[in-house]
């Protein structure tokens, strides 16, 4: 028994979390139930197609809300940077010589040219190619060619325009409005310790890409929030992998959604010591646009897919998708396993989830006035997301 306690104390936080959640799923299965909302929600199709609603969402969620620009370890050293254009506000996110992460508009204070043109890299200083102004890692201008001939009062403008940026829980958050205030504590609302379970600072990115989808961004996000479609839409890709039983917890506007492997059918009949906890998939939603899916199609349970959704218009969004190794890549075989899992995930997301999403887009505007779309109690994740959007948008 003492050995058992000691072994458990050496487990990763992720394994400890799975150990806590598995009995909840088994209990649901034994009672023939799962996490359910109180009733059916009726959604108006305009939720997905109204351009006026979208304009307000873009302002509120993608200009005035903290968004994840990258993981901390994508800025490993002083001078490391990424460019971040997904909100359509061009930004540079850079770790300064002092180790602090900052964000700036990628817009030269001289005449607005794009200053950094690479997606990522490392530099101690960088120059605008138009007239050669040079900047340090804090965004300050440190060189102006032929400065003596450059007339007028320019001191106040000799800095890239700052946007809020802050690093927490292995994530870099930015807010795409210059000189605004970002309140991350209020935004995270106690979700931080849950995100820490993923030990994102140890994760390693293996492969990823941006998918361009013609549909509403919320319709795309909805596909992650219910298991109801698994046995229909994904019957070939995920056949026999998952049970529909799920557990659900909210943290402010964020949530953690836990669904069960098909092995749940055996877990109800066997002692806990025989459960393969690594099979338990977890899904974190960081409002408004990020889904971190852990272990969903990996038998080792240590791959993590991060999906960031960025809308461009009411009917177009980019789905930024990347697969990460939780705790880092352990061997060439591990990398190969992750790469082959990526192909499975990519195929399911693109050819199944987003395919339905895109096909539904024209149909939604054809429905007669007064039509309501039912969101079932078993689609509790959707109900929670929609309710938060309703509340913040006043709809
Ligand atoms: S626009 Fe950048 S130096 Fe002129
Ligand atoms: Fe799906």
């Amino acid at each position: 028994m003492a050995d058992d306690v000691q072994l458990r104390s050496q487990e990763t936080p992720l394994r400890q979390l799975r150990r806590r959640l598995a009995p909840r799923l088994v209990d649901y299965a034994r009672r023939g139930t799962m996490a359910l909302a109180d009733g059916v929600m009726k959604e108006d199709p305009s939720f997905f197609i109204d351009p006026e609603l979208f304009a307000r969402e873009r302002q509120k969620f993608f200009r005035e809300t903290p968004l994840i620009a990258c993981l901390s370890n994508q800025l490993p050293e002083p001078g490391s940077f990424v460019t971040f254009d997904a909100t359509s506000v061009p930004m540079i996110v850079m770790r300064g010589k002092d180790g602090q992460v900052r964000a700036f508009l990628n817009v030269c204070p001289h005449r607005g040219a794009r200053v950094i043109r690479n997606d990522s890299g490392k530099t101690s200083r960088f120059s605008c190619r138009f007239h050669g102004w040079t900047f340090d890692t804090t965004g300050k201008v440190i060189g102006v060619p032929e400065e003596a001939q450059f007339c007028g009062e320019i001191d106040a403008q000799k800095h890239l325009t700052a946007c809020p940026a802050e690093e927490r829980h292995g994530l870099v958050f930015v807010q795409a409005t210059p000189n605004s205030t970002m309140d991350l504590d209020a935004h995270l609302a106690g979700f931080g310790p849950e995100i820490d379970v993923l030990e994102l600072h140890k994760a390693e990115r293996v492969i990823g890409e941006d998918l361009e989808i013609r549909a509403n961004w919320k319709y795309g996000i909805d596909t992650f929030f219910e298991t109801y479609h698994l046995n229909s839409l994904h019957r070939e890709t995920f056949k026999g992998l998952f049970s529909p039983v799920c557990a659900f917890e909210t943290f402010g506007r964020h949530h953690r959604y836990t669904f069960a492997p098909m092995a749940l059918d055996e877990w109800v009949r066997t002692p806990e010591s025989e459960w393969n906890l690594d099979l338990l998939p977890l899904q974190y939603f960081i409002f408004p646009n990020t889904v971190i899916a852990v272990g969903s199609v990996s038998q080792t349970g240590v791959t993590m897919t991060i999906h960031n959704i960025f809308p461009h218009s009411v009917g177009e969004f980019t789905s930024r998708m990347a697969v990460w190794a939780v705790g880092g890549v352990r061997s060439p075989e591990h990398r190969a396993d992750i790469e082959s899992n990526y192909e499975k995930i990519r195929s399911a997301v693109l050819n199944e989830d987003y395919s339905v999403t895109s096909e539904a887009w024209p149909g939604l505007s054809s429905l007669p006035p007064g039509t309501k779309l039912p969101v079932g109690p078993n689609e509790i994740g959707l109900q929670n997301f929609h309710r938060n959007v309703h509340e913040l948008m006043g709809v």
Side-chain angles (χ1 to χ4, degrees):
M1 185 63 183
D3 284 355
D4 204 30
V5 170
Q6 196 187 351
L7 265 180
R8 289 186 183 194
S9 70
Q10 290 168 357
E11 287 182 336
T12 63
L14 178 57
R15 179 136 176 122
Q16 288 173 18
L17 175 65
R18 283 175 160 142
R19 189 178 292 290
R20 279 208 314 277
L21 293 170
R24 203 177 299 175
L25 292 163
V26 169
D27 180 55
Y28 276 138
R30 285 191 178 129
R31 292 189 289 118
T33 186
M34 56 187 267
L36 294 168
D38 289 340
V40 176
M41 173 188 266
K42 299 282 177 63
E43 188 56 271
D44 196 296
S46 65
F47 186 73
F48 299 114
I49 57 173
D50 179 0
E52 188 273 331
L53 174 64
F54 171 70
R56 292 195 293 121
E57 288 169 350
R58 173 146 70 181
Q59 181 61 28
K60 179 78 182 166
F61 301 150
F62 295 91
R63 299 286 185 275
E64 298 169 5
T65 298
L67 296 171
I68 295 163
C70 61
L71 268 64
S72 290
N73 58 17
Q74 288 176 283
L75 303 173
E77 295 168 297
S80 296
F81 67 85
V82 296
T83 49
F84 180 56
D85 296 302
T87 65
S88 44
V89 174
M91 295 167 86
I92 301 165
V93 187
M94 180 171 273
R95 189 178 298 284
K97 278 187 184 153
D98 55 0
Q100 193 185 325
V101 169
R102 297 179 179 84
F104 316 105
L105 293 188
N106 195 358
V107 179
C108 184
H110 176 214
R111 202 159 323 138
R114 185 171 174 85
V115 182
I116 292 189
R117 299 167 70 225
N118 298 342
D119 293 343
S120 62
K122 188 186 159 202
T123 186
S124 58
R125 55 177 58 199
F126 46 100
S127 295
C128 175
R129 67 175 174 152
F130 201 170
H131 309 91
W133 287 22
T134 300
F135 304 83
D136 69 12
T137 58
T138 68
K140 182 172 177 292
V141 177
I142 52 171
V144 173
E146 301 165 46
E147 190 162 17
Q149 278 78 47
F150 197 93
C151 305
E153 191 58 51
I154 59 164
D155 276 359
Q157 296 165 30
K158 282 169 70 173
H159 205 288
L160 291 171
T161 304
C163 290
E166 212 174 318
E167 210 172 358
R168 295 273 187 97
H169 314 291
L171 296 165
V172 175
F173 291 88
V174 300
Q175 195 162 275
T177 299
N179 306 318
S180 60
T181 304
M182 178 169 80
D183 188 345
L184 258 187
D185 287 320
H187 176 66
L188 288 171
F191 203 38
E194 301 298 322
I195 300 172
D196 281 338
V197 167
L198 302 176
E199 299 187 294
L200 294 174
H201 59 286
K202 294 184 189 169
E204 187 177 339
R205 187 181 184 279
V206 177
I207 185 169
E209 68 191 296
D210 285 1
L211 306 172
E212 301 302 330
I213 310 298
R214 292 178 69 84
N216 182 262
W217 69 282
K218 297 183 305 271
Y219 204 107
I221 285 185
D222 278 357
T223 65
F224 293 97
F225 293 165
E226 40 91 359
T227 47
Y228 187 37
H229 72 283
L230 289 180
N231 289 332
S232 178
L233 183 61
H234 299 310
R235 65 183 173 280
E236 298 303 327
T237 30
F238 296 153
K239 189 175 184 176
L241 284 181
F242 305 114
S243 143
V245 175
C246 64
F248 184 77
E249 262 175 282
T250 58
F251 304 84
R253 304 199 188 279
H254 320 288
H255 71 231
R256 189 183 55 227
Y257 184 51
T258 313
F259 46 112
M262 211 44 124
L264 186 67
D265 291 347
E266 287 164 33
W267 291 5
V268 297
R269 296 188 298 271
T270 50
E272 195 177 326
S273 57
E274 291 177 22
W275 303 347
N276 181 359
L277 295 171
D278 293 333
L279 294 177
L280 197 71
L282 301 166
Q283 207 184 72
Y284 285 70
F285 175 52
I286 303 175
F287 190 90
N289 71 330
T290 299
V291 174
I292 304 180
V294 186
S296 45
V297 295
S298 157
Q299 292 303 301
T300 57
V302 289
T303 61
M304 175 173 75
T305 314
I306 303 184
H307 306 265
N308 304 105
I309 308 286
F310 297 101
H312 306 301
S313 70
V314 64
E316 291 168 303
F317 68 88
T318 296
S319 178
R320 177 161 292 175
M321 176 170 84
V323 181
W324 294 70
V326 178
V329 177
R330 294 179 309 223
S331 63
E333 293 74 30
H334 187 204
R335 182 179 292 277
D337 178 45
I338 291 171
E339 284 171 351
S340 84
N341 280 325
Y342 178 75
E343 285 310 315
K344 280 186 227 163
I345 298 165
R346 182 183 188 281
S347 167
V349 168
L350 198 57
N351 302 326
E352 294 168 2
D353 293 305
Y354 289 155
S355 169
V356 164
T357 303
S358 302
E359 283 176 9
W361 167 250
L364 290 167
S365 53
S366 312
L367 292 167
T371 304
K372 300 284 181 195
L373 304 169
V375 186
N378 56 344
E379 299 178 307
I380 185 170
L382 267 81
Q383 289 207 13
N384 185 58
F385 175 51
H386 286 215
R387 193 170 300 110
N388 280 315
V389 173
H390 294 165
E391 200 178 300
L392 290 163
M393 290 292 105
V395 291

